[in-house]
Amino acid sequence: MTRTVLLGLILNAGLLLGLAVVLDLLSARTSLGRTWFGRTLAGVAAGLIGIGLMSAPIYTEPGLQFDTRSVLLSITGVFLGPVATVVAMAMTIAFRLWLGGAWLVGVLVIVASGGMGLVWRTRHPRTTGVRSLWSLYALGVVVHVVMLALIATLPEGAGLRTLPVIAGPVLVVFPLATVALGLLLMQRLERVAVVARLRAQDVERERLIAAIEQSDDSIVITDASGTIEYVNPAFVAVTGYKLGEALGANPRILKSGQQDAE
């Protein structure tokens, strides 16, 4: 692997990691995966990063360039769904056509990468559910074997000249990059799921508190030692005790005191 290829790999890896950061920022402002706007915005973010990858290629031949858009688009297909993937594919295809050269193979790589990511999303639900790193690795291998096969079809021997240089990084590094990016997005999705569960619990807690407050029945909540921690308005109305008198007391003492008063 030449020094140029290694530096290109490092730069591409940094841009790929940027996708997770961008999606974290977007998820704080919009419900990604739940609205068309959020999905489209995620696709635009992925498309812009894809253009950045293509602007900093790892390896170039006359009319040909090599980058990690295949990693980006396959993972986009798995985790962000069809809307975001189609948007990202359309943006990267448009940019690839603008670059010129052997555009047909480049476009086919884009379509194959995003398409296989979407197929993986459908046929391997564990990748987005229980999350299987082995499934992500298998996706990385399949996508990049297909990519190498497409590159081999380049005319005038360009594919045969390119394969010896890029085959190693593709088959060794790129499946691992697919797993690494997938792992980052899995962690992001898990954080989003945790926040959603906490918000749902807060809503349920607020509903329960409202029901207790409005109940006509006297409700008392005590700690493990029997000390009163909460009473609802109905308890105050029925017993005549003030809130300050009830909190911190023992229900049996209150009951006894009430009987003595009677």
Side-chain angles (χ1 to χ4, degrees):
M1 182 187 306
T2 66
R3 185 170 179 270
T4 302
V5 172
L6 179 58
L7 291 175
L9 275 172
I10 293 172
L11 180 57
N12 269 235
L15 289 170
L16 285 174
L17 295 179
L19 176 63
V21 176
V22 169
L23 291 181
D24 268 333
L25 295 175
L26 289 177
S27 64
R29 299 178 181 275
T30 184
S31 301
L32 291 180
R34 296 182 181 180
T35 66
W36 282 89
F37 174 75
R39 297 168 189 167
T40 302
L41 199 58
V44 170
L48 290 175
I49 291 176
I51 291 173
L53 294 171
M54 296 164 69
S55 301
I58 295 171
Y59 175 77
T60 60
E61 276 276 332
L64 169 68
Q65 67 176 58
F66 171 65
D67 50 68
T68 55
R69 84 194 83 153
S70 53
V71 175
L72 171 76
L73 293 171
S74 60
I75 287 297
T76 299
V78 172
F79 287 96
L80 301 184
V83 174
T85 305
V86 169
V87 171
M89 289 168 60
M91 292 175 64
T92 50
I93 286 173
F95 187 72
R96 185 64 192 87
L97 293 174
W98 179 79
L99 289 175
W103 59 267
L104 180 58
V105 170
V107 169
L108 290 176
V109 169
I110 291 172
V111 173
S113 301
M116 281 187 283
L118 291 174
V119 170
W120 226 259
R121 177 184 178 91
T122 302
R123 298 183 62 85
H124 298 77
R126 288 177 61 85
T127 306
T128 53
V130 179
R131 316 287 206 271
S132 170
L133 295 182
W134 284 112
S135 178
L136 288 174
Y137 183 79
L139 171 65
V141 171
V142 171
V143 166
H144 294 102
V145 166
V146 171
M147 187 183 75
L148 289 175
L150 289 171
I151 290 175
T153 65
L154 287 169
E156 300 179 2
L160 296 179
R161 290 195 306 270
T162 304
L163 286 179
V165 179
I166 66 173
V170 166
L171 295 179
V172 175
V173 177
F174 280 36
L176 295 177
T178 303
V179 172
L181 182 59
L183 183 60
L184 285 175
L185 294 186
M186 283 193 290
Q187 292 173 344
R188 183 193 69 84
L189 291 176
E190 287 168 358
R191 289 197 300 273
V192 171
V194 168
V195 170
R197 286 197 297 269
L198 291 175
R199 287 176 178 171
Q201 291 174 0
D202 288 341
V203 171
E204 290 300 322
R205 188 181 299 110
E206 291 173 0
R207 290 175 179 172
L208 178 60
I209 291 174
I212 291 174
E213 290 281 330
Q214 297 169 11
S215 175
D216 294 330
D217 298 324
S218 297
I219 298 175
V220 179
I221 299 176
T222 64
D223 61 16
S225 64
T227 301
I228 293 176
E229 292 186 328
Y230 169 84
V231 295
N232 70 338
F235 174 90
V236 175
V238 171
T239 63
Y241 284 104
K242 296 180 180 179
L243 185 62
E245 296 173 332
L247 296 180
N250 187 290
R252 287 188 292 246
I253 296 175
L254 287 179
K255 184 177 181 180
S256 175
Q258 187 180 20
Q259 291 174 344
D260 291 342
E262 291 173 352

